Amino acid sequence: MLKSIAIMTSGGDSPGMNAAARAVARTALYEGVKVWGINDGYHGLLEEDMRELESKDVGDIIQRGGTFLGTARCKRWQTPEGRRQGHENLIKRGIEGLCVIGGDGSLRGAQLLSEEYGFPIVGLPGTIDNDVWGMDYTIGCDTAANTIIDAINKLRDTASAHRRVIVLEVMGRGSGWLALVSGISGGAEYIIVPEEEFNIEEITKDLSRAYEHGKRYILIVVAEGAASGQEICDYIAKHTDIETRVSVLGHIQRGGSPTVIDRVRASQLGEQAALALISGLSGVVFGYSKGHVVSVNLYDAVNNKKKLDPDYLHLAKVLF
Ligand code: F6P
């Protein structure tokens, strides 16, 4: 059984990271294990910016977006020398295991530490993109999707008032999950995701016909990794007489108080991660799949590309 572990959050923040870190820390403390909080992800590990946590250090954070530990994207971690230094910084404090909360890039960094040094690692999927292989949920995706829905509801009001086509660009460089679920639940007419081919000419012809048949407005949700919202907007404006507007939601999607789902799931995953790490398990990521906590091999999680749910893709077509 491990006696001292550390937690960090890394990469893009996501609502619920605090709930997860709190659960890891309190579970470890409950089990009589020391917990270190590393600030600003791998960057803080390299800078030796870390402190031992007490239960009160994770008080009053479950309701907060962002991450009380801070986060960063760290280039030095991608080098063997960076990882050697990071490993040394853990060892010299007697830290025996690390819980990394982050997206696929951060989990890949954790996998390398585990592979190169045999250092015990347990990952938690913290990203609004919901793009970690082997699970259907990542911490923060529910809050982000709800933020997008709120934007869609508001855009619908103004689109309908002006008979406009409004294009909403949402996050998702490599994954269309956010665009797909928010488009389905927001009733968007078109959803454009990086995983699927799309034909802007066909969409434009199609929506022109809909306007000729009396449609007052159209909402298009596009994932940033599939196309730029502005370009979609400009194309439609150039080839029709319909007024168009674009809205780029940006980092608003990353913030905000986490939903109940994100808080409860992050807490449960945090507890499981701490218990697993303490008991000597390593090289796994805990996630949710089909309503249950699952543990996925860390190597598999970072070396496979998650696909969009074909049922959701089909539903989006049926409901259009
Ligand atoms: O957290 C993942 C993600 O939200 C992507 O969807 C987005 O492209 C990226 O982060 C933006 O990251 P940054 O905060 O570094 O601009």
Side-chain angles (χ1 to χ4, degrees), residues 45-46 48 50 85-93:
L45 177 53
L46 294 177
E48 304 192 61
M50 56 191 100
Q85 184 65 60
H87 179 246
E88 192 181 305
N89 293 346
L90 290 165
I91 295 296
K92 74 179 182 203
R93 284 172 179 78

Side-chain angles (χ1 to χ4, degrees), residues 7 10 32 44 58 74 86 93 118 146 150 184 192 197 215 221 232 248 259 266 268 303-304 314:
I7 328 165
S10 167
V58 291
C74 177
R93 284 172 179 78
N146 278 289
D150 184 48
I184 290 173
I192 301 175
E197 299 264 307
K215 188 106 177 138
V221 180
I232 302 271
V248 180
T259 58
Q268 229 187 331
N303 284 295
N304 285 293
H314 179 70

Side-chain angles (χ1 to χ4, degrees), residues 129 169-175 179 192 194 222-229 248 253:
D129 293 340
E169 182 187 305
V170 301
M171 278 189 169
R173 270 184 298 211
S175 161
I192 301 175
V222 56
E224 61 181 343
S228 125
V248 180
Q253 293 159 95

Side-chain angles (χ1 to χ4, degrees), residues 107-125:
L107 297 174
R108 185 165 292 119
Q111 153 64 21
L112 287 173
L113 183 65
S114 149
E115 189 180 302
E116 292 167 359
Y117 293 92
F119 197 79
I121 297 282
V122 169
L124 286 177

Side-chain angles (χ1 to χ4, degrees), residues 191-200 202-203 226 313 317:
I191 302 169
I192 301 175
V193 293
E195 292 87 345
E196 294 267 288
E197 299 264 307
F198 73 99
N199 184 332
I200 186 62
E202 249 171 45
I203 292 177
L313 285 166
K317 291 199 176 88

Side-chain angles (χ1 to χ4, degrees), residues 35-47:
V35 193
W36 292 76
I38 301 173
N39 294 326
D40 300 335
Y42 296 111
H43 176 76
L45 177 53
L46 294 177
E47 296 299 317

Side-chain angles (χ1 to χ4, degrees), residues 11-13 73 126-129 171-174 178 224 251 254:
D13 62 321
R73 300 191 196 275
T127 166
I128 64 166
D129 293 340
M171 278 189 169
R173 270 184 298 211
L178 275 175
E224 61 181 343
H251 286 77
R254 286 250 290 267

